[in-house]
Amino acid sequence: MGRLTTHVLDTAAGRPAAGLKIDLYRLGPDPILLKTVTTNADGRVDGGPLLEGAALEEGSYELVFHAGDYLRGVSDALPSTLFLDVIPIRFGIASAAEHYHVPLLISPYGYSTYRGS
């Protein structure tokens, strides 16, 4: 059964990014907000996958990570205007039968992502 998961790690602090808000959209002519979640102490989402089974369809999606709010909450040493604030990651689901894991590694001045396992 296919599923979509995510995990956020704060590479500057060397720990999971707890309390980071994430919006999940299905893209199309009019993007649809599917859900809003917040990461737990492990940087993951409680309650299982973001999408799974029949809810995971082939197509284009976007995860919007509200990194600025998280970063402001964990550091007083950042400038008032952040270099990174909202991080959108657009990706495609080619097979609804597969596991798509979209991890995010963040710091105040950079981020990376990849298709994980």
Side-chain angles (χ1 to χ4, degrees):
M1 173 172 36
R3 65 191 188 281
L4 171 64
T5 57
T6 190
H7 187 197
V8 186
L9 299 172
D10 181 337
T11 57
R15 64 177 174 238
L20 192 145
K21 178 181 157 188
I22 305 167
D23 297 320
L24 170 62
Y25 291 88
R26 178 160 170 86
L27 300 178
D30 296 310
I32 299 167
L33 175 64
L34 299 177
K35 64 174 52 178
T36 298
V37 296
T38 302
T39 57
N40 61 22
D42 192 36
R44 298 178 189 277
V45 175
D46 288 331
L50 294 168
L51 295 174
E52 66 181 325
L56 181 67
E57 301 175 4
E58 294 179 6
S60 297
Y61 293 84
E62 182 175 66
L63 285 168
V64 178
F65 296 88
H66 295 266
D69 293 339
Y70 164 79
L71 292 167
R72 284 184 192 97
V74 298
S75 178
D76 294 331
L78 296 174
S80 60
T81 301
L82 297 178
F83 180 68
L84 292 175
D85 190 4
V86 176
I87 300 171
I89 298 176
R90 290 189 172 190
F91 59 96
I93 301 290
S95 170
E98 295 182 28
H99 179 197
Y100 287 80
H101 183 64
V102 184
L104 179 67
L105 309 175
I106 63 168
S107 77
Y109 300 100
Y111 70 92
S112 65
T113 191
Y114 54 95
R115 180 176 175 189
S117 58

